[in-house]
Amino acid sequence: MAKILMMRATCNTNLYLSYAAPLSPQKAMSMCPSFYPVQFGAKPISCSPIKPQFCVQVQAFSSQQSKDELPARVGFLGLGIMGSPMAQNLIKAGCDVTVWNRTKSKCDPLISLGAKYKPSPEEVAASCDITFAMLADPESAVDVACGKQGAASGMSPGKGYVDVSTVDGPTSSLISARIQSTGALFLEAPVSGSKKPAEDGKLIFLTAGDKSLYERAAPYLDLMGKSRFFLGEVGNGAAMKLVVNMIMGSMMASFSEGLLLSEKVGLDPSILVEVISQGAISAPMYSMKGPSMVKSLYPTAFPLKHQQKDLRLALGLAESVSQPTPVAAAANELYKVAKSKGLSDDDFSAVIEALKAKLQQKS
């Protein structure tokens, strides 16, 4: 039997939330490009007389889920670096999974594990109770959901669509409106984590949208991740993911500068990695990426082109609320230089090569 530990943000905890006015159905259906970010550090939500509009839920769980908790059929669209291991974890847990990918050969390893295959997103959605989608960018997410033979064409009342791609709020709202127009339910659930957490089932899901679908999808999210947050209206999950990745991209750019500076002044950058790992600024990312960066190796866990895309979207989010983000803007320019050097498909830690190129230009 699954062991579940539940922590809730309630009125008597130390986690305070404030929440903007919810999006009306009329605005959602008109695809209004609005964001409703969660703000931390705000005044406590009063227990009375106003009831909190939502809570953040974090779960630690066992992957042994009761079969009775799981709907019969699950679809998975997009089998790249992240989607493939996520779908694999569902299959290994005994779920009835149907897959689709633009390049059919990427489906073959999952089919060999027991997955079914359909030749279009529409057919996957039509044959499944809940369909997950993990696409590379907003354009792909919209096309797979709303395009010709897209998932929306196979949706109907009672079905659910869970988009775990990283997109901006307006894109998520657009997909949500299209899915809901079929009578189906929509949940955005972008993930925090890269290839290894996806393989290990230790992703963090940042969800928003239909609460009943969140509850139906929870057993599957728990098979693919270590925790999940419900953040309210559609757009909040997308905004949270972009803020997280904006911070991550800026951290990597600064770390790269530090590694190169340490070497430039005659220090051993490997020792710098060790020093950082034992101090207040320690982060798993530095310990994992640092040793290979010192050797100029960048095995892809999170493609650099996706990090730059997320920085671009985060800057757009900041612009929409007139929030200055000079550090992230500078980091974004560095990733753009790295892309121009042909590093798009390398790990995002390859951004250090953009700095090396700048040093060579000066010498």
Side-chain angles (χ1 to χ4, degrees), residues 94-110:
C95 301
D96 181 351
V97 179
T98 300
V99 298
W100 171 88
N101 192 75
R102 281 196 177 96
T103 305
K104 200 269 184 179
S105 60
K106 290 189 176 181
C107 298
D108 294 339
L110 298 176

Side-chain angles (χ1 to χ4, degrees), residues 336-350:
K336 287 163 65 176
V337 171
K339 283 178 63 178
S340 73
K341 301 294 181 183
L343 299 168
S344 291
D345 293 320
D346 287 276
D347 189 74
F348 79 111
S349 55

Side-chain angles (χ1 to χ4, degrees), residues 38-356:
V38 179
Q39 298 177 342
F40 289 86
K43 294 181 180 180
I45 297 174
S46 172
C47 289
S48 178
I50 301 174
K51 184 178 179 181
Q53 298 199 35
F54 68 93
C55 65
V56 172
Q57 297 178 332
V58 186
Q59 278 195 309
F61 51 85
S62 165
S63 62
Q64 298 177 348
Q65 298 288 341
S66 167
K67 295 283 186 179
D68 294 336
E69 296 176 3
L70 305 175
R73 302 161 299 176
V74 183
F76 209 103
L77 311 175
L79 302 172
I81 289 177
M82 298 293 289
S84 182
M86 292 170 71
Q88 186 169 311
N89 284 334
L90 294 176
I91 296 166
K92 288 181 176 179
C95 301
D96 181 351
V97 179
T98 300
V99 298
W100 171 88
N101 192 75
R102 281 196 177 96
T103 305
K104 200 269 184 179
S105 60
K106 290 189 176 181
C107 298
D108 294 339
L110 298 176
I111 294 171
S112 69
L113 292 175
K116 299 172 185 175
Y117 170 77
K118 294 290 184 181
S120 71
E122 177 183 4
E123 292 172 80
V124 172
S127 67
C128 295
D129 300 296
I130 295 180
T131 299
F132 291 89
M134 171 56 91
L135 290 314
D137 51 48
E139 294 76 19
S140 297
V142 171
D143 183 52
V144 169
C146 309
K148 184 178 181 181
Q149 293 189 310
S153 298
M155 302 300 291
S156 58
K159 294 181 180 293
Y161 191 80
V162 183
D163 195 341
V164 296
S165 315
T166 298
V167 301
D168 56 293
T171 296
S172 194
S173 294
L174 187 156
I175 295 172
S176 174
R178 178 68 181 92
I179 296 297
Q180 289 181 315
S181 72
T182 70
L185 305 177
F186 177 80
L187 186 75
E188 63 176 0
V191 299
S192 180
S194 56
K195 181 180 179 182
K196 188 64 164 60
E199 293 172 343
D200 295 342
K202 293 184 178 180
L203 296 169
I204 301 167
F205 288 92
L206 308 173
T207 75
D210 189 276
K211 185 65 178 292
S212 65
L213 179 55
Y214 168 74
E215 293 167 350
R216 283 175 58 195
Y220 298 108
L221 301 179
D222 290 352
L223 290 171
M224 297 184 286
K226 66 179 180 180
S227 60
R228 47 186 163 85
F229 294 78
F230 184 75
L231 302 171
E233 297 290 334
V234 168
N236 286 346
M240 182 68 81
K241 176 60 189 297
L242 293 180
V243 171
V244 169
N245 277 20
M246 180 188 76
I247 295 170
M248 182 174 71
S250 299
M251 287 172 63
M252 180 55 74
S254 180
F255 183 54
S256 297
E257 287 183 337
L259 289 176
L260 291 180
L261 178 58
S262 69
E263 188 174 23
K264 189 78 171 179
V265 299
L267 300 173
D268 185 343
S270 297
I271 295 178
L272 173 64
V273 174
E274 292 185 34
V275 171
I276 289 175
S277 70
Q278 297 182 38
I281 62 170
S282 174
M285 180 178 72
Y286 297 149
S287 298
M288 289 189 295
K289 307 287 187 182
S292 60
M293 291 172 70
V294 171
K295 299 175 183 177
S296 299
L297 299 174
Y298 316 105
T300 305
F302 180 46
L304 185 143
K305 62 186 177 184
H306 293 337
Q307 175 62 81
Q308 193 276 317
K309 176 261 296 183
D310 292 348
L311 276 167
R312 171 175 58 82
L313 295 177
L315 292 172
L317 172 62
E319 179 67 22
S320 72
V321 292
S322 301
Q323 168 68 39
T325 49
V327 174
N332 183 51
E333 293 304 312
L334 201 59
Y335 284 96
K336 287 163 65 176
V337 171
K339 283 178 63 178
S340 73
K341 301 294 181 183
L343 299 168
S344 291
D345 293 320
D346 287 276
D347 189 74
F348 79 111
S349 55
V351 69
I352 193 173
E353 293 295 328
L355 289 168
K356 291 180 182 179

